[in-house]
Amino acid sequence: FLGESADLSKTFDFIVVGAGSAGCACAARLAKTGASVLLVEAGGEAHRSALVQQPRQMIGAWHSEIDWGFRTTPQEHLLPKGRVVELERGKTLGGSSAINYNMWVRGAREDYDRWATEFGCPGWSYDEVLPHFRSIERVSKSPDASYDPAFRGDSGPIAAGLLHPALPEVNDFITACVSTGSKKTGDYNGANLEGVSATQFNTAGDSGGRQD
């Protein structure tokens, strides 16, 4: 894909290959320094199609021209034995973030700490990556969740939070879980991951649309 402003006669300070989530962020950060940047993407501009803009329809994007269609080799230890797992990967501006459900889940503190201490990844402990998580998000207030500013950001470029109003089935599921002894968590991206909660999304406000 070549954007309308692409001039291949130019030379560039940096060439970023792949316009997925990481590639776009990397290119934008470099451009803000004043450097000239060429961002190269194998796919097209499907990120503006109705199919991509509504995450609820994302299954329709799988196995399409905007999905690389990767598959694993047969897995001996999966049932049924030898099962092949499909790995949907986006082939368009936005990459795989254009064909996913937009769920906003950081993961467990313990995993980050293990990467730093056990797997030789300095700088990847939870306390070290937390400022970056906070800097990229703009969490929206919700009557169904309480957000601790020590863990959540409110001025970043990516909107994140719960969708409103929640589907009745979501509330029914949470009530059922609590009735069996599960704890309801106010924010699984905050201090404590454990518990039951509605899913947070990085979508464009309450409409649930995908962000550019």
Side-chain angles (χ1 to χ4, degrees), residues 26-200:
C26 180
R29 291 292 182 91
L30 290 170
K32 285 182 178 180
T33 69
S36 60
V37 183
L38 175 64
L39 179 60
V40 181
E41 167 57 40
E45 291 187 282
H47 65 298
R48 297 198 183 281
S49 72
L51 181 67
V52 169
Q53 286 296 314
Q54 290 299 322
R56 292 183 179 90
Q57 302 181 44
M58 75 158 203
I59 293 178
W62 296 352
H63 309 294
S64 73
E65 63 180 8
I66 62 172
D67 176 13
W68 282 101
F70 295 145
R71 308 179 80 196
T72 67
T73 57
Q75 301 297 297
E76 179 183 356
H77 301 291
L78 287 183
L79 295 177
K81 186 175 181 179
R83 179 156 62 97
V84 172
V85 179
E86 297 180 354
L87 301 175
E88 292 78 16
R89 299 283 88 189
K91 186 181 179 182
T92 182
L93 294 181
S96 298
S97 71
I99 63 169
N100 65 9
Y101 275 123
N102 283 67
M103 295 179 182
W104 195 247
V105 185
R106 292 178 180 174
R109 169 189 286 270
E110 294 79 8
D111 289 333
Y112 292 97
D113 291 340
R114 288 184 64 209
W115 291 341
T117 59
E118 297 182 29
F119 298 104
C121 301
W124 278 89
S125 71
Y126 185 80
D127 287 338
E128 289 173 293
V129 299
L130 178 58
H132 301 289
F133 278 131
R134 294 182 66 250
S135 70
I136 65 174
E137 69 178 5
R138 184 176 69 257
V139 68
S140 57
K141 295 181 179 179
S142 168
D144 301 318
S146 57
Y147 299 122
D148 184 346
F151 291 90
R152 305 305 303 271
D154 60 5
S155 57
I158 298 178
L162 299 172
L163 299 183
H164 300 290
L167 294 174
E169 294 84 355
V170 173
N171 293 325
D172 291 344
F173 176 79
I174 293 174
T175 299
C177 290
V178 171
S179 71
T180 62
S182 297
K183 179 182 177 181
K184 183 177 180 180
T185 178
D187 178 19
Y188 60 74
N189 285 317
N192 186 14
L193 174 69
E194 294 185 6
V196 60
S197 169
T199 303
Q200 296 175 28

